[in-house]
């Protein structure tokens, strides 16, 4: 349908007010600081941690360039200004923090009726969408990625969502992690939508895995929220 085609035209590869029983800007009680390991813990994002979160983002997205020319890293404080304007989004972002206070990874989630930060993905009723997830290279292999996905799933449950979704680039090794966590890829779009997806993905992130990489476009994935 026209509406479905519009939703899938441009997807960012992984701001309305909340209208659920949890107060606007109030972190769910299950998302207080949680000591997952002696070396790191999980907690909702705070303004003091935004700079560290941005450093993790820049490391993970440094290879992605709009139209192969323009980096999409945040070097001018865009993310900080976003959270200053939208403090209600802080508890929608989980962050892994090392024992020394250094951010090691993050996951940013939007839950209907809010929309994603960049206005690219249109959330549907009952949907919780993982906008971005990233783990610092030095912190990989410690289970942080899986813990962040679990954090997002718990948030989706708290916000009474029925499905958790994300979009990942073809060729991204993280796709295997998502599959192990229970995400399933949606059927490929029809040829016209596929063309829009390839062009849109190229426009947003270029060719992050090299010009000769055989992978193009993105993969939409979803997982039913347990108990919903």
């Amino acid at each position: 349908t026209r509406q479905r085609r519009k939703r899938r035209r441009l997807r960012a590869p992984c701001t309305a007010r909340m209208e659920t029983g949890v107060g606007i800007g109030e972190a769910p009680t299950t998302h207080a600081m949680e000591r997952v390991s002696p070396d790191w813990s999980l907690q909702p994002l705070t303004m003091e941690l935004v700079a560290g979160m941005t450093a993790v983002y820049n490391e993970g997205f440094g290879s992605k360039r709009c139209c192969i020319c323009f980096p999409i890293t945040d070097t001018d404080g865009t993310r900080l200004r976003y959270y200053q304007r939208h403090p209600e989004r802080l508890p929608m972002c989980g962050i892994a923090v090392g024992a020394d206070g250094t951010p090691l990874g993050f996951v940013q989630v939007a839950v209907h009726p809010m929309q994603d930060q960049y206005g690219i993905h249109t959330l549907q009723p009952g949907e919780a969408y993982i906008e971005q997830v990233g783990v610092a290279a030095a912190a990989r292999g410690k289970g942080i990625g899986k813990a962040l996905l679990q954090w997002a799933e718990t948030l989706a449950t708290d916000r009474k969502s029925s499905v958790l979704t994300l979009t990942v680039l073809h060729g991204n090794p993280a796709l295997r992690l998502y599959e192990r966590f229970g995400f399933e890829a949606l059927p490929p779009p029809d040829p016209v939508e596929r063309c829009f997806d390839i062009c849109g993905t190229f426009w947003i992130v270029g060719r992050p895995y090299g010009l000769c990489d055989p992978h193009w476009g993105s993969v939409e994935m979803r997982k039913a929220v347990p108990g919903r």
Side-chain angles (χ1 to χ4, degrees):
T1 66
R2 183 177 300 175
Q3 182 180 8
R4 179 169 173 266
R5 183 166 296 171
K6 181 179 179 181
R7 285 204 314 271
R8 302 182 70 160
R9 188 165 298 173
L10 291 177
R11 292 294 176 90
C14 205
T15 307
R17 294 167 66 87
M18 293 301 299
E19 296 180 356
T20 68
V22 180
I24 298 167
E26 177 187 345
T29 55
T30 53
H31 281 64
M33 181 179 289
E34 177 185 354
R35 178 64 62 181
V36 181
S37 158
D39 300 323
W40 53 275
S41 60
L42 284 177
Q43 66 175 79
L45 181 65
T46 64
M47 291 301 299
E48 292 75 18
L49 292 172
V50 171
M53 170 192 176
T54 301
V56 176
Y57 167 84
N58 286 343
E59 179 185 334
F61 286 77
S63 65
K64 299 174 175 63
R65 293 175 175 266
C66 180
C67 295
I68 315 182
C69 297
F70 308 105
I72 62 173
T73 50
D74 178 5
T75 58
D76 61 358
T78 299
R79 191 171 295 263
L80 177 62
R81 291 193 297 273
Y82 174 79
Y83 283 111
Q84 287 173 336
R85 292 194 305 269
H86 301 285
E88 75 278 4
R89 294 300 307 271
L90 289 169
M92 307 303 292
C93 182
I95 188 159
V97 182
D100 62 354
T102 302
L104 303 175
F106 72 94
V107 60
Q108 183 170 300
V109 184
V111 177
H112 185 270
M114 67 173 53
Q115 299 303 323
D116 76 285
Q117 178 179 349
Y118 302 104
I120 295 175
H121 179 89
T122 301
L123 276 81
Q124 302 303 304
E127 179 183 6
Y129 178 65
I130 296 179
E131 303 175 69
Q132 295 173 344
V133 60
V135 178
R140 292 171 189 165
K142 300 180 179 180
I144 293 177
K146 181 179 178 180
L148 290 169
L149 293 177
Q150 184 62 62
W151 192 96
E153 185 175 80
T154 302
L155 175 64
T157 301
D158 290 346
R159 301 284 174 149
K160 305 187 187 307
S161 300
S162 58
V163 63
L164 187 63
T165 65
L166 58 82
T167 304
V168 59
L169 289 175
H170 273 293
N172 189 331
L175 195 150
R176 293 190 293 273
L177 169 64
Y178 303 146
E179 290 176 334
R180 290 196 301 270
F181 192 73
F183 280 94
E184 296 181 350
L186 296 181
D190 63 46
V192 174
E193 292 179 345
R194 176 66 174 154
C195 181
F196 276 119
D197 172 60
I198 291 174
C199 293
T201 303
F202 172 78
W203 176 263
I204 295 170
V205 298
R207 297 285 286 152
Y209 308 121
L211 292 175
C212 297
D213 186 85
H215 304 94
W216 289 86
S218 60
V219 181
E220 296 179 43
M221 308 186 78
R222 67 167 50 210
K223 176 185 181 182
V225 175
R228 304 297 301 173

